[in-house]
Amino acid sequence: MLNAGAAEPRGMDLWQLLFTLALICANDSLPTSEVPLGEPQIVKCRSPEMETFSCHWTDGDVHNHTAPRTMQLLYMKRGDEEWKECPDYVTAGENSCYFNTSYTSVWIPYCVKLANENKVFDEKCFSVDEIVLPDPPINLNWTLLNISLTGIHVDIQVRWEPPPTADVRKGWVTLEYELQYKEVNETKWKELEPVCSTTVPLYSLKMGRDYEIRIRSRQRTSEKFGEFSETLSVSFSMASEAVLCAEEIQFPWLFIVIFGTCGLVVVMFLILFSKQRLKMLILPPIPAPKIKGIDPDLLKKGKLEEVNSILASHDSYKPQLYNDDLWVEFIELDIDDPDEKTEGSDTDRLLSDAHMKSHSCLGVKDDDSGRASCCEPDMPETDFSASDTCDGTSDTDQSKKISEKEETLLCLDQKDNNKSFTNLDDPANQQLISQSEDNQSRPPFADSIESLSPVPPVRTQLSNQSSVTNIDFYAQVSDITPAGSVVLSPGQKNKTGRAQCEAHTEPAAQCQSNFTMDNAYFCEADVKKCIAVTSHEEVEPHVQDQSFNEDTYFTTESLTTTAVNPSTAAEEASSSEMPVPDYTSIHIVHSPQGLVLNATALPVPDKEFMVSCGYVSTDQLNKIMP
Amino acid sequence: MITTMNNKGASLKGVLLVFLLISNMFLTKKSVTSLPICPSGSVNCQVSLGELFDRAVKLSHYIHFLSSEMFNEFDERYAQGRGFITKAVNGCHTASLTTPEDKEQAQQIHHEDLLNLVLGVLRSWNDPLLHLVTEVQRIKEAPNTILWKAAEIEEQNKRLLEGMEKIVGRVQPGDTGNEVYSRWSGLPSLQLADEDSRLFAFYNLLHCLRRDSHKIDNYLKLLKCRLIHDSNC
């Protein structure tokens, strides 16, 4: 049904609404019929306490009435048969009719009409409970609740009494009240929510101002309020002389400036000093031992290759393990042998370069070390207190070492040049060359050469080498055994060098003298290398490959034995153990041109390694090699 | 497994509890009075008479408030221009109950009689309210507010009746008295075919409802002040 109803056009509703609005506007308190203007009309009927009521009317335009006003108000209660006249025209004032309690029945419909003899002007129907408009409250007063700490605001409690006419005590009428207040110079009243009690607090009134308060009441179940009470004046201005604060809190410019500045400073501080820098400033970090670019995990995992490669890329890598001269030195050192033309190999080139340099100076050209400068004319021939063992780290002068290295180089060079010594220790030679910064390799070599006077048999294999004349300073170390010995790969060119060297007594001397070097690198192995060089017979041509060759496998032990007994060393050498004059652990040998030395990632701890044999870092190696 | 089951049980209980609380909130949302402290049927539990009266007054006030609003809405929407206003309002069906018409009469009547009268009026409105709810829905385009109010009034009236019966049981135990109430026979008029007549019937009914709810509200306040506050509200 409803849905069907909803489908109807809304025009009728709109018309009704408009009409209703018109009626409402026209009608004040009671629904009335339309009365033409100028006619007398009942203005309102009101009961203040639901015990009596009164009706008021207007005369309207007097001029129209020729006859004197004989207006009557007639009323009829439901149940009456006829209209009765107003019982009291006086009490409620002019043009009014007052019905006292005896005439008033509450929930009974009344109709009143205004008429004179002939004509009915107006008529209203109502019941008394609908027209209740209470009298205003009386006896308004206020008390001080408290004053704020700043002395600017005040709280007060306003009290009043219900209108005397309304019997609230018996509960016949239940009232609620609405309070309004404003400052004296304001026009708009502020309202509070209606309350049922006869007291209400007012908060945050301002000291130094004057206020006005008024209250009105209504019956709780109706909508319309009665008249307002008399206005209560509340004045605080007289108490204000002591409280001469600014009434309004001025915009706190000072606070804003101060806090703004502080905030800006903080922000600037934060921006300028990023968290990192701040942290650095306050808590400077203790640098952990670290090699740039090297992940410690790599080391742990034993990825030697990667570490080596990383190391290789670090030019600035300073091996702290060995504190000795760069091995580079002895490459640059060169032989002024003109025959020493390097052909294809990098080592040759290196050698040539070194040769150039060494021509002018036997000193080591060492970039990054503060080692002994070049041009040490003195050959440390005096220092022949080299021991055969690696253990000792004599305090030989570094310069001596350098020179020794140089001479060894020279020695090697010469050998290379001269030669066709396909001599053995290519690996040995190579390793000698490639080895550590300490050129202790040289001395051992020299020693070995010296001690092994017999010229080692020519290495046929060496002849296979393309560049017999070339000196290979490196030996490829394939691996380092757990025992500490170094596994070398056969070098490609070192054999000749070695052979040549052997031939020289001087280098031999060097070799020996080198033993005096206090480098840990001076180990038995070195010695053996020297020795073994001479005695080594077999040689494997392939150098650069990182291939393990039994022939090239050197052990410390073998070298030691060799040192002890040159002869035996020779035998041993022939037994496929090639003494290594000097070596370092070489991790990778990429090409004929280069070796990547195993600088750090060795199974042997550094110290041990030093003890066993020093080694050259890849950095050094890379410097050497193009 | 067991722990998960226990957890599930605990969580289920929690959910159930929350659900109950929320449903309780919603159910009592529109109610004016709070839920009784004593569950019905409980013997030992005693709510004070004053508390009972407070609740009754609140309910009666609420019912009158709703009735007034509903009448005003209906008046605005349907009664304008139809001349309902000028017609003398027909007597309400509760006119047979002689209720005090002014303050003196109300003060003179005995409170028990007054209570019984109140009960009578409330009972008299049970039936009409029920039908009002159903019939008002048949009015063309009846707004939802009117429909809702009718239903609400009907519900609250039942509650008030229960409360009043409790009060009467306290005030005059054992005296059941006559169950006086007025029968309502206005249903046919609510179902008239003629829309004008039908709407006039509704208008009348709503007018009577407003008046009677005001009566009840007033009587209860009077009784409360007299009995509880000793005429010193």
Side-chain angles (χ1 to χ4, degrees):
Chain A
M1 293 277 288
L2 279 174
N3 291 339
E8 281 243 312
R10 298 249 173 223
M12 285 297 279
D13 291 334
L14 196 59
W15 183 78
Q16 280 183 4
L17 184 61
L18 286 172
F19 189 59
T20 311
L21 283 172
L23 265 183
I24 288 170
C25 289
N27 192 6
D28 187 25
S29 58
L30 292 175
T32 61
S33 55
E34 297 271 340
V35 177
L37 284 173
E39 293 270 328
Q41 114 185 52
I42 297 170
V43 176
K44 68 174 180 181
C45 290
R46 170 180 169 252
S47 169
E49 74 288 81
M50 218 157 63
E51 296 169 44
T52 66
F53 73 100
S54 60
C55 284
H56 300 260
W57 68 86
T58 59
D59 269 343
D61 200 350
V62 184
H63 304 304
N64 291 342
H65 300 276
T66 55
R69 285 184 282 137
T70 53
M71 298 281 247
Q72 277 183 328
L73 189 82
L74 302 167
Y75 74 95
M76 189 164 72
K77 280 176 21 175
R78 186 165 54 78
D80 290 346
E81 293 90 19
E82 60 182 11
W83 292 90
K84 294 178 188 169
E85 189 158 4
C86 167
D88 188 343
Y89 284 103
V90 176
T91 313
E94 199 174 343
N95 294 340
S96 71
C97 180
Y98 176 74
F99 297 83
N100 60 19
T101 57
S102 56
Y103 290 97
T104 310
S105 300
V106 182
W107 292 283
I108 306 290
Y110 279 80
C111 284
V112 293
K113 68 178 180 183
L114 188 68
N116 64 8
E117 287 138 2
N118 318 331
K119 195 175 162 189
V120 174
F121 297 109
D122 197 4
E123 191 175 341
K124 274 195 202 315
C125 290
F126 55 87
S127 60
V128 177
D129 50 290
E130 295 166 6
I131 57 168
V132 177
L133 285 177
D135 287 335
I138 58 167
N139 292 347
L140 274 72
N141 64 2
W142 63 278
T143 54
L144 190 68
L145 274 181
N146 55 20
I147 303 180
S148 68
L149 288 172
T150 56
I152 297 174
H153 295 285
V154 186
D155 302 335
I156 60 171
Q157 187 87 14
V158 185
R159 273 179 239 281
W160 62 88
E161 284 174 13
T165 52
D167 193 351
V168 187
R169 284 182 60 209
K170 295 216 177 69
W172 182 245
V173 180
T174 315
L175 298 176
E176 65 180 6
Y177 308 94
E178 183 194 66
L179 186 142
Q180 294 185 358
Y181 70 101
K182 73 175 179 66
E183 283 184 42
V184 178
N185 50 9
E186 284 179 350
T187 53
K188 199 154 183 267
W189 289 88
K190 292 180 198 152
E191 295 173 4
L192 298 183
E193 287 292 317
V195 292
C196 294
S197 59
T198 57
T199 178
V200 90
L202 262 185
Y203 297 117
S204 283
L205 299 181
K206 294 204 182 75
M207 190 65 89
R209 308 277 179 91
D210 294 337
Y211 290 90
E212 289 177 337
I213 299 173
R214 62 181 188 181
I215 306 175
R216 60 181 180 174
S217 62
R218 71 172 174 192
Q219 205 184 20
R220 265 186 79 187
T221 51
S222 70
E223 292 173 357
K224 289 195 169 66
F225 278 100
E227 292 296 318
F228 278 107
S229 65
E230 289 177 1
T231 306
L232 176 70
S233 290
V234 180
S235 177
F236 297 118
S237 50
M238 50 217 176
S240 69
E241 73 282 352
V243 186
L244 204 60
C245 314
E247 289 171 352
E248 300 285 339
I249 296 178
Q250 300 295 337
F251 201 61
W253 290 111
L254 187 63
F255 279 126
I256 286 176
V257 166
I258 290 174
F259 282 114
T261 314
C262 290
L264 269 176
V265 165
V266 169
V267 167
M268 294 271 296
F269 195 64
L270 285 176
I271 290 174
L272 288 178
F273 300 98
S274 69
K275 190 178 173 192
Q276 212 46 39
R277 287 173 70 177
L278 258 182
K279 198 178 164 190
M280 298 271 282
L281 276 177
I282 298 168
L283 302 167
I286 300 168
K290 193 179 170 189
I291 298 169
K292 219 190 332 181
I294 290 186
D295 184 9
D297 288 343
L298 278 181
L299 298 178
K300 289 175 199 165
K301 289 175 200 160
K303 301 244 174 91
L304 307 180
E305 293 151 5
E306 288 146 29
V307 175
N308 261 347
S309 62
I310 292 167
L311 282 177
S313 63
H314 272 261
D315 287 341
S316 62
Y317 174 73
K318 287 186 191 167
Q320 286 134 22
L321 308 166
Y322 12 88
N323 47 7
D324 290 325
D325 307 336
L326 284 181
W327 174 109
V328 172
E329 301 165 3
F330 88 91
I331 290 179
E332 287 151 357
L333 255 197
D334 211 344
I335 315 168
D336 16 36
D337 198 340
D339 292 345
E340 174 213 329
K341 271 315 156 204
T342 61
E343 273 190 357
S345 68
D346 294 349
T347 46
D348 297 338
R349 271 183 249 128
L350 274 170
L351 287 172
S352 65
D353 285 346
H355 173 69
M356 303 284 287
K357 286 162 199 166
S358 65
H359 272 283
S360 56
C361 166
L362 288 179
V364 176
K365 182 175 133 192
D366 191 352
D367 303 347
D368 52 348
S369 81
R371 314 230 179 116
S373 57
C374 62
C375 293
E376 278 279 337
D378 288 338
M379 297 297 211
E381 298 172 4
T382 55
D383 207 353
F384 287 140
S385 59
S387 60
D388 291 354
T389 62
C390 292
D391 312 338
T393 56
S394 56
D395 304 293
T396 325
D397 194 11
Q398 245 191 1
S399 58
K400 287 185 189 167
K401 291 184 208 170
I402 292 163
S403 54
E404 283 162 359
K405 288 176 198 166
E406 291 167 2
E407 291 176 12
T408 321
L409 258 179
L410 286 168
C411 158
L412 286 174
D413 249 353
Q414 288 166 0
K415 284 183 202 155
D416 282 345
N417 290 338
N418 295 345
K419 171 32 39 351
S420 46
F421 276 49
T422 56
N423 195 9
L424 58 89
D425 328 58
D426 330 334
N429 287 346
Q430 280 188 340
Q431 290 178 6
L432 236 195
I433 296 165
S434 62
Q435 306 293 329
S436 62
E437 301 80 83
D438 351 307
N439 302 328
Q440 297 93 20
S441 54
R442 294 305 125 227
F445 182 75
D447 277 343
S448 66
I449 293 171
E450 192 181 18
S451 55
L452 302 174
S453 40
V455 175
V458 173
R459 311 295 163 92
T460 52
Q461 287 152 357
L462 250 187
S463 56
N464 298 339
Q465 303 295 325
S466 56
S467 56
V468 166
T469 57
N470 295 339
I471 297 176
D472 249 346
F473 286 128
Y474 333 99
Q476 168 188 344
V477 175
S478 310
D479 198 7
I480 292 215
T481 64
S485 58
V486 170
V487 176
L488 301 174
S489 313
Q492 75 176 352
K493 304 178 188 178
N494 54 1
K495 298 157 198 168
T496 49
R498 288 282 179 257
Q500 287 176 356
C501 209
E502 286 160 14
H504 289 260
T505 56
E506 201 180 331
Q510 311 273 321
C511 196
Q512 270 185 356
S513 66
N514 280 344
F515 271 114
T516 63
M517 294 190 195
D518 61 339
N519 203 318
Y521 194 77
F522 275 63
C523 56
E524 301 164 7
D526 299 342
V527 176
K528 283 146 214 180
K529 279 188 233 155
C530 281
I531 299 167
V533 164
T534 54
S535 58
H536 186 81
E537 295 186 342
E538 289 180 0
V539 132
E540 297 265 340
H542 32 220
V543 173
Q544 317 299 349
D545 305 332
Q546 190 169 12
S547 56
F548 277 95
N549 227 322
E550 285 190 359
D551 291 341
T552 65
Y553 187 83
F554 295 90
T555 62
T556 327
E557 293 77 13
S558 64
L559 292 169
T560 313
T561 14
T562 324
V564 170
N565 193 352
S567 53
T568 53
E571 292 162 5
E572 287 177 11
S574 57
S575 66
S576 83
E577 281 188 3
M578 309 185 65
V580 179
D582 198 5
Y583 54 84
T584 190
S585 101
I586 298 178
H587 185 59
I588 298 168
V589 179
H590 290 301
S591 64
Q593 275 72 33
L595 284 173
V596 176
L597 297 178
N598 213 354
T600 55
L602 294 171
V604 184
D606 294 340
K607 264 198 181 166
E608 289 178 8
F609 194 76
M610 285 182 67
V611 169
S612 62
C613 271
Y615 54 87
V616 148
S617 71
T618 43
D619 287 349
Q620 311 303 329
L621 190 61
N622 286 342
K623 272 185 200 157
I624 298 159
M625 308 212 228
Chain B
M1 287 275 283
I2 294 172
T3 52
T4 52
M5 292 290 283
N6 285 344
N7 289 341
K8 267 191 178 174
S11 63
L12 201 61
K13 280 181 199 166
V15 168
L16 192 62
L17 183 64
V18 169
F19 174 70
L20 283 174
L21 285 171
I22 291 176
S23 64
N24 190 34
M25 263 170 54
F26 281 121
L27 287 175
T28 58
K29 191 174 136 191
K30 295 187 185 116
S31 168
V32 175
T33 60
S34 53
L35 283 179
I37 300 168
C38 298
S40 59
S42 157
V43 177
N44 296 331
C45 184
Q46 282 277 331
V47 185
S48 70
L49 194 64
E51 177 70 22
L52 285 174
F53 263 108
D54 277 343
R55 295 183 197 171
V57 166
K58 277 191 190 143
L59 264 177
S60 66
H61 179 80
Y62 183 51
I63 291 169
H64 175 61
F65 171 73
L66 289 175
S67 305
S68 282
E69 294 222 323
M70 193 160 85
F71 176 78
N72 289 336
E73 279 183 45
F74 187 90
D75 192 23
E76 285 171 29
R77 193 176 165 81
Y78 298 105
Q80 301 301 323
R82 293 174 193 266
F84 296 156
I85 305 156
T86 53
K87 288 181 190 168
V89 176
N90 289 351
C92 301
H93 67 287
T94 51
S96 61
L97 298 170
T98 51
T99 53
E101 299 290 319
D102 58 26
K103 192 173 93 173
E104 287 86 11
Q105 288 179 20
Q107 278 178 311
Q108 282 164 13
I109 192 169
H110 200 261
H111 66 270
E112 292 168 2
D113 297 331
L114 193 55
L115 281 169
N116 283 328
L117 275 173
V118 167
L119 273 179
V121 173
L122 288 172
R123 287 195 197 108
S124 302
W125 274 102
N126 263 343
D127 199 37
L129 284 174
L130 208 62
H131 290 286
L132 178 70
V133 171
T134 53
E135 296 303 322
V136 82
Q137 290 173 12
R138 299 208 184 98
I139 297 177
K140 247 185 327 185
E141 297 170 7
N144 270 346
T145 48
I146 289 181
L147 299 175
W148 170 78
K149 283 187 177 92
E152 185 74 3
I153 292 169
E154 197 260 333
E155 159 116 21
Q156 301 301 332
N157 195 68
K158 280 199 282 218
R159 286 233 194 109
L160 182 57
L161 192 56
E162 287 173 18
M164 288 313 301
E165 282 171 352
K166 260 195 199 134
I167 290 174
V168 169
R170 287 278 191 91
V171 171
Q172 40 184 86
D175 182 11
T176 54
N178 293 340
E179 281 207 359
V180 285
Y181 75 99
S182 302
R183 285 196 64 237
W184 179 64
S185 55
L187 184 57
S189 61
L190 290 183
Q191 294 164 333
L192 288 173
D194 180 27
E195 191 186 341
D196 269 3
S197 306
R198 191 152 51 89
L199 286 176
F200 183 70
F202 271 109
Y203 182 87
N204 248 2
L205 190 63
L206 292 176
H207 192 269
C208 286
L209 179 61
R210 182 177 77 163
R211 206 184 69 185
D212 282 349
S213 60
H214 188 252
K215 255 193 209 176
I216 290 165
D217 190 35
N218 239 73
Y219 293 156
L220 286 177
K221 282 170 183 167
L222 201 70
L223 281 169
K224 180 182 156 197
C225 282
R226 196 203 289 188
L227 296 177
I228 309 299
H229 302 279
D230 201 19
S231 296
N232 196 11
C233 275

mmCIF file of all heavy atoms in Angstrom, chain B residues 110 112-113 116 119 123 165 168-179:
data_model
loop_
_atom_site.group_PDB
_atom_site.id
_atom_site.type_symbol
_atom_site.label_atom_id
_atom_site.label_comp_id
_atom_site.label_asym_id
_atom_site.label_seq_id
_atom_site.Cartn_x
_atom_site.Cartn_y
_atom_site.Cartn_z
ATOM 1 N N HIS B 110 -7.451 9.688 46.370
ATOM 2 C CA HIS B 110 -6.534 8.813 47.081
ATOM 3 C C HIS B 110 -5.508 8.235 46.112
ATOM 4 O O HIS B 110 -5.838 7.911 44.962
ATOM 5 C CB HIS B 110 -7.327 7.699 47.763
ATOM 6 C CG HIS B 110 -6.573 7.051 48.866
ATOM 7 N ND1 HIS B 110 -5.909 5.868 48.688
ATOM 8 C CD2 HIS B 110 -6.367 7.439 50.146
ATOM 9 C CE1 HIS B 110 -5.325 5.519 49.828
ATOM 10 N NE2 HIS B 110 -5.573 6.455 50.727
ATOM 11 N N GLU B 112 -4.158 5.434 45.858
ATOM 12 C CA GLU B 112 -4.434 4.101 45.311
ATOM 13 C C GLU B 112 -5.436 4.179 44.177
ATOM 14 O O GLU B 112 -5.291 3.499 43.142
ATOM 15 C CB GLU B 112 -4.964 3.187 46.420
ATOM 16 C CG GLU B 112 -3.926 2.857 47.454
ATOM 17 C CD GLU B 112 -4.563 2.196 48.672
ATOM 18 O OE1 GLU B 112 -5.787 1.980 48.656
ATOM 19 O OE2 GLU B 112 -3.818 1.887 49.622
ATOM 20 N N ASP B 113 -6.443 5.001 44.394
ATOM 21 C CA ASP B 113 -7.409 5.153 43.310
ATOM 22 C C ASP B 113 -6.765 5.753 42.082
ATOM 23 O O ASP B 113 -7.070 5.355 40.944
ATOM 24 C CB ASP B 113 -8.570 6.052 43.760
ATOM 25 C CG ASP B 113 -9.337 5.424 44.915
ATOM 26 O OD1 ASP B 113 -9.353 4.177 44.991
ATOM 27 O OD2 ASP B 113 -9.912 6.182 45.718
ATOM 28 N N ASN B 116 -4.843 3.158 40.312
ATOM 29 C CA ASN B 116 -5.739 2.278 39.562
ATOM 30 C C ASN B 116 -6.269 2.941 38.315
ATOM 31 O O ASN B 116 -6.419 2.307 37.256
ATOM 32 C CB ASN B 116 -6.907 1.821 40.433
ATOM 33 C CG ASN B 116 -6.481 0.731 41.393
ATOM 34 O OD1 ASN B 116 -5.611 -0.079 41.083
ATOM 35 N ND2 ASN B 116 -7.106 0.690 42.553
ATOM 36 N N LEU B 119 -3.645 2.808 35.782
ATOM 37 C CA LEU B 119 -3.610 1.464 35.191
ATOM 38 C C LEU B 119 -4.740 1.275 34.190
ATOM 39 O O LEU B 119 -4.545 0.687 33.108
ATOM 40 C CB LEU B 119 -3.744 0.416 36.289
ATOM 41 C CG LEU B 119 -2.448 -0.027 36.973
ATOM 42 C CD1 LEU B 119 -2.745 -1.057 38.045
ATOM 43 C CD2 LEU B 119 -1.496 -0.616 35.960
ATOM 44 N N ARG B 123 -4.278 0.367 30.327
ATOM 45 C CA ARG B 123 -4.855 -0.840 29.741
ATOM 46 C C ARG B 123 -5.785 -0.504 28.582
ATOM 47 O O ARG B 123 -5.847 -1.238 27.584
ATOM 48 C CB ARG B 123 -5.643 -1.615 30.816
ATOM 49 C CG ARG B 123 -4.775 -2.299 31.821
ATOM 50 C CD ARG B 123 -5.575 -3.327 32.613
ATOM 51 N NE ARG B 123 -4.849 -3.698 33.843
ATOM 52 C CZ ARG B 123 -5.207 -3.331 35.064
ATOM 53 N NH1 ARG B 123 -6.291 -2.578 35.246
ATOM 54 N NH2 ARG B 123 -4.490 -3.690 36.097
ATOM 55 N N GLU B 165 1.938 -1.921 37.230
ATOM 56 C CA GLU B 165 1.387 -3.053 37.968
ATOM 57 C C GLU B 165 2.290 -3.447 39.125
ATOM 58 O O GLU B 165 1.809 -3.809 40.210
ATOM 59 C CB GLU B 165 1.153 -4.229 37.011
ATOM 60 C CG GLU B 165 -0.111 -4.054 36.184
ATOM 61 C CD GLU B 165 -0.213 -5.100 35.085
ATOM 62 O OE1 GLU B 165 0.770 -5.851 34.870
ATOM 63 O OE2 GLU B 165 -1.270 -5.143 34.440
ATOM 64 N N VAL B 168 1.714 -0.851 41.819
ATOM 65 C CA VAL B 168 0.431 -1.089 42.487
ATOM 66 C C VAL B 168 0.554 -2.284 43.413
ATOM 67 O O VAL B 168 0.024 -2.287 44.531
ATOM 68 C CB VAL B 168 -0.698 -1.293 41.451
ATOM 69 C CG1 VAL B 168 -1.957 -1.810 42.103
ATOM 70 C CG2 VAL B 168 -0.977 0.011 40.735
ATOM 71 N N GLY B 169 1.280 -3.287 42.951
ATOM 72 C CA GLY B 169 1.479 -4.426 43.815
ATOM 73 C C GLY B 169 2.217 -4.063 45.081
ATOM 74 O O GLY B 169 1.987 -4.641 46.136
ATOM 75 N N ARG B 170 3.126 -3.113 44.996
ATOM 76 C CA ARG B 170 3.848 -2.673 46.187
ATOM 77 C C ARG B 170 2.968 -1.835 47.097
ATOM 78 O O ARG B 170 2.998 -1.961 48.309
ATOM 79 C CB ARG B 170 5.038 -1.803 45.783
ATOM 80 C CG ARG B 170 6.147 -2.518 45.186
ATOM 81 C CD ARG B 170 7.040 -3.149 46.242
ATOM 82 N NE ARG B 170 8.239 -3.593 45.541
ATOM 83 C CZ ARG B 170 9.299 -2.827 45.400
ATOM 84 N NH1 ARG B 170 9.360 -1.655 45.977
ATOM 85 N NH2 ARG B 170 10.312 -3.257 44.693
ATOM 86 N N VAL B 171 2.296 -0.905 46.445
ATOM 87 C CA VAL B 171 1.556 0.071 47.248
ATOM 88 C C VAL B 171 0.344 -0.562 47.917
ATOM 89 O O VAL B 171 0.066 -0.312 49.075
ATOM 90 C CB VAL B 171 1.136 1.268 46.373
ATOM 91 C CG1 VAL B 171 0.184 2.182 47.105
ATOM 92 C CG2 VAL B 171 2.366 2.034 45.930
ATOM 93 N N GLN B 172 -0.345 -1.364 47.185
ATOM 94 C CA GLN B 172 -1.520 -1.997 47.764
ATOM 95 C C GLN B 172 -1.486 -3.486 47.462
ATOM 96 O O GLN B 172 -2.166 -3.960 46.552
ATOM 97 C CB GLN B 172 -2.803 -1.357 47.229
ATOM 98 C CG GLN B 172 -2.737 -1.035 45.730
ATOM 99 C CD GLN B 172 -3.977 -0.338 45.280
ATOM 100 O OE1 GLN B 172 -4.052 0.868 45.387
ATOM 101 N NE2 GLN B 172 -4.932 -1.100 44.802
ATOM 102 N N PRO B 173 -0.693 -4.154 48.219
ATOM 103 C CA PRO B 173 -0.554 -5.580 47.917
ATOM 104 C C PRO B 173 -1.841 -6.338 48.248
ATOM 105 O O PRO B 173 -2.531 -6.038 49.201
ATOM 106 C CB PRO B 173 0.583 -6.021 48.858
ATOM 107 C CG PRO B 173 0.587 -5.042 49.954
ATOM 108 C CD PRO B 173 0.115 -3.754 49.374
ATOM 109 N N GLY B 174 -2.114 -7.234 47.397
ATOM 110 C CA GLY B 174 -3.250 -8.117 47.655
ATOM 111 C C GLY B 174 -4.560 -7.584 47.120
ATOM 112 O O GLY B 174 -5.515 -8.332 46.939
ATOM 113 N N ASP B 175 -4.600 -6.290 46.912
ATOM 114 C CA ASP B 175 -5.863 -5.720 46.470
ATOM 115 C C ASP B 175 -5.850 -5.609 44.959
ATOM 116 O O ASP B 175 -5.322 -4.662 44.393
ATOM 117 C CB ASP B 175 -6.054 -4.347 47.119
ATOM 118 C CG ASP B 175 -7.386 -3.735 46.733
ATOM 119 O OD1 ASP B 175 -8.216 -4.466 46.140
ATOM 120 O OD2 ASP B 175 -7.586 -2.534 47.007
ATOM 121 N N THR B 176 -6.376 -6.587 44.346
ATOM 122 C CA THR B 176 -6.353 -6.565 42.881
ATOM 123 C C THR B 176 -7.309 -5.499 42.348
ATOM 124 O O THR B 176 -7.013 -4.814 41.392
ATOM 125 C CB THR B 176 -6.772 -7.935 42.321
ATOM 126 O OG1 THR B 176 -8.036 -8.302 42.889
ATOM 127 C CG2 THR B 176 -5.722 -8.973 42.674
ATOM 128 N N GLY B 177 -8.395 -5.376 42.958
ATOM 129 C CA GLY B 177 -9.352 -4.346 42.533
ATOM 130 C C GLY B 177 -9.987 -4.691 41.214
ATOM 131 O O GLY B 177 -9.669 -5.704 40.574
ATOM 132 N N ASN B 178 -10.850 -3.868 40.820
ATOM 133 C CA ASN B 178 -11.458 -4.081 39.515
ATOM 134 C C ASN B 178 -10.499 -3.666 38.436
ATOM 135 O O ASN B 178 -9.849 -2.629 38.522
ATOM 136 C CB ASN B 178 -12.740 -3.248 39.372
ATOM 137 C CG ASN B 178 -13.810 -3.748 40.311
ATOM 138 O OD1 ASN B 178 -13.741 -4.882 40.773
ATOM 139 N ND2 ASN B 178 -14.786 -2.920 40.603
ATOM 140 N N GLU B 179 -10.485 -4.491 37.493
ATOM 141 C CA GLU B 179 -9.655 -4.086 36.358
ATOM 142 C C GLU B 179 -10.497 -3.218 35.462
ATOM 143 O O GLU B 179 -11.176 -3.710 34.544
ATOM 144 C CB GLU B 179 -9.149 -5.331 35.625
ATOM 145 C CG GLU B 179 -7.969 -5.963 36.339
ATOM 146 C CD GLU B 179 -7.090 -6.709 35.356
ATOM 147 O OE1 GLU B 179 -7.441 -6.732 34.143
ATOM 148 O OE2 GLU B 179 -6.078 -7.257 35.784
#
